[in-house]
Every structure is written in C-alpha cells, then in structure tokens.
Coordinates of all heavy atoms in Angstrom, one line a residue:
E6 N -38.5 -6.6 -1.8 CA -38.3 -7.8 -1.0 C -39.5 -8.8 -1.2 O -39.3 -10.0 -1.2 CB -38.1 -7.5 0.4 CG -36.8 -6.9 0.8 CD -36.7 -5.4 0.4 OE1 -37.8 -4.8 0.1 OE2 -35.6 -4.8 0.4
D7 N -40.6 -8.2 -1.5 CA -41.9 -9.0 -1.7 C -41.9 -9.7 -3.0 O -42.8 -10.5 -3.3 CB -43.1 -8.1 -1.5 CG -43.2 -7.5 -0.1 OD1 -42.6 -8.1 0.9 OD2 -43.8 -6.4 0.1
L8 N -41.0 -9.3 -4.0 CA -41.1 -9.9 -5.3 C -40.7 -11.4 -5.4 O -41.0 -12.0 -6.4 CB -40.1 -9.1 -6.2 CG -40.6 -7.7 -6.7 CD1 -39.5 -7.0 -7.5 CD2 -41.9 -7.9 -7.6
E9 N -40.0 -11.9 -4.4 CA -39.6 -13.3 -4.4 C -40.8 -14.2 -4.6 O -41.8 -14.1 -3.9 CB -38.8 -13.6 -3.1 CG -38.2 -15.0 -3.1 CD -37.3 -15.3 -2.0 OE1 -36.9 -14.3 -1.3 OE2 -36.9 -16.4 -1.8
G10 N -40.6 -15.1 -5.6 CA -41.7 -16.1 -5.9 C -42.8 -15.5 -6.8 O -43.7 -16.3 -7.1
K11 N -42.7 -14.3 -7.2 CA -43.7 -13.7 -8.1 C -43.3 -13.8 -9.5 O -42.2 -14.1 -9.9 CB -43.9 -12.2 -7.7 CG -44.3 -12.0 -6.3 CD -45.6 -12.6 -5.9 CE -46.0 -12.3 -4.5 NZ -47.3 -13.0 -4.1
T12 N -44.3 -13.6 -10.4 CA -44.1 -13.7 -11.9 C -44.2 -12.3 -12.4 O -45.3 -11.6 -12.2 CB -45.1 -14.6 -12.5 OG1 -45.0 -15.9 -12.0 CG2 -44.9 -14.6 -14.0
I13 N -43.2 -11.9 -13.1 CA -43.2 -10.5 -13.7 C -42.8 -10.6 -15.2 O -42.1 -11.5 -15.6 CB -42.4 -9.5 -12.9 CG1 -40.9 -9.9 -13.0 CG2 -42.8 -9.3 -11.5 CD1 -40.0 -8.8 -12.4
L14 N -43.3 -9.6 -15.9 CA -43.0 -9.5 -17.3 C -42.0 -8.4 -17.6 O -42.3 -7.2 -17.2 CB -44.3 -9.3 -18.1 CG -44.3 -9.6 -19.6 CD1 -45.8 -9.7 -20.1 CD2 -43.6 -8.5 -20.4
L15 N -40.9 -8.7 -18.2 CA -39.9 -7.7 -18.5 C -39.9 -7.3 -19.9 O -39.5 -6.2 -20.3 CB -38.5 -8.2 -18.2 CG -38.1 -8.5 -16.7 CD1 -36.6 -9.0 -16.7 CD2 -38.2 -7.2 -15.9
G16 N -40.5 -8.2 -20.8 CA -40.4 -7.9 -22.2 C -39.0 -8.3 -22.7 O -38.2 -9.0 -22.0
S17 N -38.6 -7.8 -23.8 CA -37.2 -8.1 -24.3 C -36.7 -7.0 -25.2 O -37.5 -6.3 -25.9 CB -37.2 -9.4 -25.1 OG -38.1 -9.3 -26.2
G18 N -35.4 -6.8 -25.2 CA -34.8 -5.9 -26.1 C -34.8 -4.4 -25.8 O -34.1 -3.6 -26.4
S19 N -35.7 -4.0 -24.9 CA -35.8 -2.6 -24.6 C -34.9 -2.1 -23.4 O -34.4 -3.0 -22.7 CB -37.3 -2.3 -24.2 OG -37.6 -2.9 -23.0
F20 N -34.8 -0.8 -23.3 CA -34.1 -0.3 -22.1 C -34.7 -0.8 -20.8 O -34.0 -1.2 -19.9 CB -34.1 1.2 -22.2 CG -33.6 1.9 -20.9 CD1 -32.2 1.9 -20.6 CD2 -34.5 2.4 -20.0 CE1 -31.8 2.5 -19.4 CE2 -34.0 3.0 -18.8 CZ -32.7 3.0 -18.5
G21 N -36.0 -0.7 -20.8 CA -36.7 -1.1 -19.5 C -36.5 -2.6 -19.2 O -36.3 -2.9 -18.0
A22 N -36.4 -3.4 -20.2 CA -36.2 -4.9 -19.9 C -34.8 -5.1 -19.4 O -34.6 -5.8 -18.4 CB -36.4 -5.7 -21.2
R23 N -33.8 -4.5 -20.1 CA -32.4 -4.6 -19.6 C -32.2 -4.0 -18.2 O -31.6 -4.6 -17.4 CB -31.5 -3.9 -20.6 CG -31.4 -4.6 -22.0 CD -30.3 -4.0 -22.8 NE -30.5 -2.5 -23.1 CZ -31.2 -2.0 -24.1 NH1 -31.8 -2.8 -24.9 NH2 -31.3 -0.7 -24.2
E24 N -32.8 -2.9 -18.0 CA -32.7 -2.2 -16.7 C -33.4 -3.0 -15.6 O -32.9 -3.2 -14.5 CB -33.2 -0.8 -16.8 CG -32.8 0.1 -15.7 CD -31.4 0.6 -15.9 OE1 -30.6 0.2 -16.8 OE2 -31.0 1.5 -15.1
G25 N -34.6 -3.5 -15.9 CA -35.3 -4.3 -15.0 C -34.6 -5.6 -14.5 O -34.5 -5.9 -13.3
E26 N -33.9 -6.2 -15.5 CA -33.2 -7.4 -15.2 C -32.0 -7.1 -14.3 O -31.6 -7.8 -13.4 CB -32.7 -8.1 -16.5 CG -32.0 -9.4 -16.3 CD -31.7 -10.1 -17.6 OE1 -31.9 -9.5 -18.7 OE2 -31.4 -11.3 -17.6
K27 N -31.3 -5.9 -14.6 CA -30.2 -5.5 -13.8 C -30.6 -5.2 -12.4 O -29.9 -5.6 -11.4 CB -29.6 -4.2 -14.4 CG -28.4 -3.7 -13.7 CD -27.9 -2.4 -14.3 CE -28.6 -1.2 -13.8 NZ -27.9 0.1 -14.2
Y28 N -31.8 -4.6 -12.2 CA -32.2 -4.3 -10.8 C -32.5 -5.6 -10.0 O -32.2 -5.6 -8.8 CB -33.5 -3.4 -10.9 CG -33.2 -2.0 -11.3 CD1 -32.0 -1.7 -12.0 CD2 -34.2 -1.0 -11.2 CE1 -31.8 -0.4 -12.4 CE2 -34.0 0.3 -11.6 CZ -32.8 0.6 -12.3 OH -32.5 1.9 -12.7
L29 N -33.1 -6.6 -10.7 CA -33.3 -7.9 -10.0 C -32.0 -8.4 -9.5 O -32.0 -9.0 -8.3 CB -34.0 -8.9 -10.9 CG -35.4 -8.5 -11.4 CD1 -36.0 -9.6 -12.3 CD2 -36.4 -8.3 -10.2
G30 N -31.0 -8.3 -10.3 CA -29.7 -8.8 -9.8 C -29.1 -8.0 -8.7 O -28.6 -8.5 -7.7
L31 N -29.2 -6.6 -8.8 CA -28.7 -5.7 -7.8 C -29.4 -5.9 -6.5 O -28.7 -5.8 -5.4 CB -28.9 -4.3 -8.3 CG -27.9 -3.8 -9.4 CD1 -28.4 -2.4 -9.8 CD2 -26.5 -3.7 -8.9
F32 N -30.7 -6.2 -6.5 CA -31.4 -6.3 -5.3 C -31.6 -7.7 -4.7 O -32.5 -8.0 -3.9 CB -32.8 -5.7 -5.5 CG -32.8 -4.3 -6.0 CD1 -33.9 -3.7 -6.7 CD2 -31.7 -3.4 -5.8 CE1 -33.8 -2.4 -7.2 CE2 -31.6 -2.1 -6.3 CZ -32.7 -1.6 -7.0
G33 N -30.7 -8.6 -5.2 CA -30.7 -10.0 -4.7 C -31.9 -10.9 -5.1 O -32.2 -11.8 -4.4
L34 N -32.5 -10.6 -6.3 CA -33.7 -11.3 -6.7 C -33.4 -12.2 -7.9 O -34.3 -12.8 -8.4 CB -34.8 -10.4 -7.0 CG -35.4 -9.7 -5.7 CD1 -36.2 -8.4 -6.1 CD2 -36.3 -10.6 -5.0

C-alpha cells in the first residue's frame, strides 16, 4: 500500500519484470 507515488525499476523482458507488473495491477497500483 505504501508503494503509491514511489519510483521502482522492473527492468524488461524477464519473468520478474512481467510478474512485477502483474502484481502492481492485482494490488491496485
């Protein structure tokens, strides 16, 4: 919940990047 307004690095093309982006959507971010 504290991530709102923060800057994070996901990278690109990797499993972690795809999964991280998915989680942001799932958790309303």
Side-chain angles (χ1 to χ4, degrees):
E6 289 74 15
D7 299 331
L8 283 174
E9 187 170 348
K11 303 298 183 182
T12 299
I13 63 172
L14 197 163
L15 293 180
S17 61
S19 67
F20 168 78
R23 293 190 299 272
E24 198 76 352
E26 187 172 12
K27 182 180 88 172
Y28 290 15
L29 293 180
L31 285 174
F32 305 155
L34 290 162

